[in-house]
Structure formats: structure tokens, C-alpha cells
Amino acid sequence: MKVGTPGFQGARLKQARIALGLTQESLALMLGYKDAQSVSAMENGKDSPSPEVMQRILSLTRHPMHFFVTPLPEGIDESEALFRSMRSLDEIAKGRAEVNLSWLAEYAQYLSKFVDFPKLNIPDFSDFPRDPMLITDEHIRLAADRLRSHWGLHRGPLPNLINLLESNGFIIHGEPFESHKWDAISFWDKATNTPFILLNLDKPSYFRLRYNLLHELFHLLFHIYADRDMRDVKAYERELERQAHLFAGEFALPHDSFPADLFADNLDALRIVKSKWKMSIAAMLHRLEDLGILDKTKSAKMWANLKRRWRDGEPLDDHPLEEPTIINSTVKMLKEHNVITPHSLLSDSVFPQETQERFAKMGDDFWLADAPALKIHKLY
């Protein structure tokens, strides 16, 4: 009689495999199988690994045993994630991003047992169409105005966007994912009604990341009801992307204040106001096109000059990145108040040290046990 692993969750094996960028065939060979059929059976819950195979899985994936016997949490469905640059994304890169996003949400769920994250604070958009194809440019302008007003923002440049979103109930994480084919991915955790954004830092730029955040913000607010079966239709996806771009421009560079800062419609004028408005020259150039300030001839000339003058990057692109803080500050606070310990994080959470370090931006010193408090009574 074959001996398996009691409580084994095949969905967890699938997550670990995808996170490593492995196919079923490649994992099967690493585990000593001849083909992918055995791995497929385990992932689909039709088979359970023997003790020997289980040890190989633990060694290969570097995940603890309790990860593989813990069911997936409710409300987290990475298949509903919204991608930017989705059409050019290969399945391995797409899968890795989706799994990491779902793990981030699961880690936040674990931490929420101890703390209350900032509550979601967004205005009511129930009067807007659910069908993205019915959203007009006027809807997008009104959405940007309504959100700025709700968050108490004036008509000038936006503050630190990551801090702004985190303080209003969004959870954000960024790291390099060794793929230049996507910029960001987002989704809603239905169990906690929390929006998550995962940023790809393979192409890090302060200005690009700010734009990507606003792009994902619109997807989260207005494209959650988009027809997923239509995402592979080029015209449908192009319209969703156009809407997100238009919103990012309107929210960051309002139509009634940004143009007033330009003393001329040329690249030098955009370079001068870049540090004030905290958007790239390319983004501002797109915005001038959206507002009809540039005709096609002038626009084409400016784009050509932009590529010629700053082929290797725009001025000021070495500006330090905005950094997420909510997960890091939560874990630090819980440790400082003795709510959790390094040992309890590793034993109670399903994630290994490496994954927790990525999400919470913790260094090696975090895992050192605190020395016992000593009190000196008297020195002789």
C-alpha cells in the first residue's frame, strides 16, 4: 500500500512550482519522475507524495511542511489579477507574478490577525458604468476630480503616492521579477475587500513607478468587472489601457492647473517642470496630446527630439524610489511590542523566511532573538 503525505494540498505544490518558474515536466524530472503526469496528479489532488518525494519537494522549494498542508485561503484568486502589458507576457512570468501577488495578500491576511490595516477609503463610484466599454472620457475626468476631492488633494502636484494609497487602504509591494514584459499587477482580496498592487522593479524609475501606480489604481476602481474572456481581444485591451493612461494623466496632471505651468510647448519647458509635477517628460508629453495642446506634427517632432536627446533615460530619473512601508512597519511594531517573535513568524505563518523578508523588507538582524533583559544590581 502506498504511503502518502496526510493533508497534502496539491494547490500549494502548484503555487510553489509556478513561483520557481518551473513547468510540470521540469519539476517531475527534479523529483525523479519520468514525466509530468505524477506532478499533475499531485497538483490536482488525485495523488499524494510519498515521504521521500515530500522531502525532495521541501528541499527544492525551500518551503516549510505546514505550507503544503494548509489549504488556500478564501477570497484570494490570483486568476482575477489585472496586468499591465498583459498581451506580451509569457505564461511563466505571468504565473510567477500572480502567485506572488496572492502570497502577498495571504501574508497581509495573517498579519491582520494582530493589527487593523488602514480601512479602504475611496469615494462612491456606483453611478459610473460597470461595463468598461461604456466609460467615456468625461467619466474619467470626473473620476479623477472626485478622487482628488475625496482625498483632500489640491490641484497641484501629487504627494508621495505609495504613502497616499497605503493610508487609504491599499497594500503595495515592489521587487525585481526578472521580466521586462510587465510593469505592475493588481487585484482585490474579496475576503477583506482590500486592493493589492505588485510593482515590477526590473525597470525602476521614480517617475515611471508613480505613473504605474495611477494606472493600476484605475484598473482596480473601474475594470474589476471587465470581461476576462475579452482581455485577449486586442481592441478591448487597447481601450482598457487607453482609459487607464487617460486617468493617470488627469489625476497627476489636472487639465485646469498643469498647462498653466508651461512657459512653452517644448521639451525644455517639460524638463523644468518635471521636478515639480513628479511625472516623466514622456507622461507630460502624452498629457499635452490628450489635452489637444499639441497637434500631430508638433507632437511627432517632440517625440523624435525626446528619443534623440535622452536615449538612455530622462533627466532626474535617478531620483530615489518611493517605498512601501505598511507591511514592514507592521511586522516591526508587532515584534517591538512582543506580539510576535521571529520564531512565531516562521512557525505560525505558512511562508519561509525568504518570502517574509521580501514582503516585509526585513534584514538578517530581524531574525536574531532578543537577548534577555539583564538588570545590574551592584558593582563591586
Side-chain angles (χ1 to χ4, degrees):
M1 179 178 179
K2 180 180 177 180
V3 178
T5 301
F8 182 78
Q9 302 291 315
R12 290 296 193 181
L13 177 61
K14 183 177 180 179
Q15 281 189 331
R17 172 181 63 79
I18 291 175
L20 290 172
L22 299 175
T23 63
Q24 289 183 337
E25 291 81 359
S26 57
L27 178 59
L29 293 175
M30 292 177 179
L31 296 179
Y33 295 114
K34 294 181 179 179
D35 53 49
Q37 185 174 352
S38 296
V39 171
S40 177
M42 287 189 291
E43 290 185 353
N44 293 327
K46 297 178 181 179
D47 196 7
S48 178
S50 67
E52 295 80 9
V53 172
M54 191 68 241
Q55 285 302 313
R56 293 185 203 134
I57 291 173
L58 296 177
S59 177
L60 176 64
T61 64
R62 300 188 298 277
H63 276 69
M65 183 65 192
H66 56 280
F67 171 83
F68 291 100
V69 295
T70 302
L72 297 180
E74 296 183 0
I76 299 177
D77 184 359
E78 60 262 30
S79 69
E80 296 183 356
L82 297 165
F83 273 94
R84 196 176 163 196
S85 304
M86 186 176 179
R87 287 179 60 84
S88 63
L89 200 59
D90 63 82
E91 285 302 312
I92 292 179
K94 179 175 180 289
R96 289 187 64 215
E98 288 174 342
V99 167
N100 275 277
L101 183 61
S102 69
W103 282 355
L104 175 65
E106 185 174 356
Y107 193 55
Q109 281 192 10
Y110 166 73
L111 295 175
S112 68
K113 296 190 300 183
F114 311 105
V115 299
D116 291 326
F117 287 113
K119 291 185 178 180
L120 183 63
N121 176 35
I122 56 175
D124 181 12
F125 290 114
S126 61
D127 55 325
F128 282 61
R130 284 193 172 193
D131 183 352
M133 294 299 100
L134 299 179
I135 294 176
T136 66
D137 290 359
E138 180 63 14
H139 284 127
I140 294 170
R141 188 187 69 78
L142 290 174
D145 288 349
R146 187 178 300 182
L147 190 58
R148 268 186 172 261
S149 176
H150 187 80
W151 284 347
L153 302 172
H154 54 78
R155 306 298 291 176
L158 295 171
N160 184 306
L161 280 179
I162 289 184
N163 288 349
L164 176 66
L165 291 173
E166 286 186 329
S167 65
N168 285 289
F170 293 72
I171 294 182
I172 302 166
H173 174 67
E175 64 177 275
F177 280 94
E178 301 175 356
S179 173
H180 293 284
K181 294 186 176 181
W182 64 278
D183 295 310
I185 172 177
S186 56
F187 88 140
W188 286 87
D189 176 356
K190 295 179 180 178
T192 61
N193 194 32
T194 303
F196 287 82
I197 299 175
L198 185 64
L199 298 168
N200 185 1
L201 301 186
D202 278 336
K203 301 176 284 187
S205 161
Y206 167 83
F207 303 95
R208 185 186 185 103
L209 290 181
R210 283 170 60 87
Y211 189 87
N212 289 342
L213 281 169
L214 297 180
H215 189 103
E216 291 305 309
L217 175 60
F218 188 79
H219 281 321
L220 285 166
L221 295 179
F222 294 100
H223 291 162
I224 56 175
Y225 300 109
D227 187 343
R228 296 196 60 81
D229 293 334
M230 291 288 290
R231 290 303 300 269
D232 288 332
V233 177
K234 192 172 183 179
Y236 188 84
E237 186 206 0
R238 187 188 297 119
E239 175 59 16
L240 266 57
E241 291 296 291
R242 187 196 71 82
Q243 291 177 6
H245 284 306
L246 184 60
F247 171 83
E250 180 63 45
F251 193 71
L253 306 166
H255 65 279
D256 55 356
S257 55
F258 164 66
D261 267 355
L262 298 177
F263 61 85
D265 55 353
N266 57 46
L267 294 182
D268 288 320
L270 296 179
R271 177 178 55 83
I272 289 172
V273 300
K274 178 176 179 177
S275 60
K276 174 182 177 179
W277 286 93
K278 302 174 185 177
M279 285 285 126
S280 69
I281 294 174
M284 291 187 286
L285 188 49
H286 276 301
R287 185 64 180 144
L288 294 179
E289 291 175 335
D290 292 338
L291 294 173
I293 294 175
L294 298 178
D295 59 33
K296 291 183 178 180
T297 302
K298 179 70 172 180
S299 175
K301 183 177 180 180
M302 290 180 68
W303 279 112
N305 287 337
L306 175 63
K307 294 176 181 179
R308 177 178 56 82
R309 291 179 64 177
W310 299 305
R311 183 176 302 173
D312 298 324
E314 294 182 8
L316 306 178
D317 275 358
D318 58 349
H319 190 290
L321 303 180
E322 295 178 357
E323 296 281 351
T325 61
I326 192 73
I327 298 294
N328 175 268
S329 59
T330 297
V331 172
K332 282 185 176 179
M333 180 189 69
L334 292 175
K335 184 186 179 187
E336 290 171 357
H337 288 79
N338 298 315
V339 178
I340 59 173
T341 65
H343 175 74
S344 69
L345 267 182
L346 295 177
S347 60
D348 296 344
S349 166
V350 300
F351 297 111
Q353 178 176 328
E354 177 185 349
T355 302
Q356 297 193 51
E357 285 178 351
R358 289 194 292 111
F359 289 156
K361 306 293 184 182
M362 298 179 289
D364 292 339
D365 57 335
F366 175 88
W367 303 99
L368 299 176
D370 292 333
L374 301 176
K375 182 178 182 180
I376 299 176
H377 293 291
K378 192 173 184 180
L379 294 175
Y380 293 95

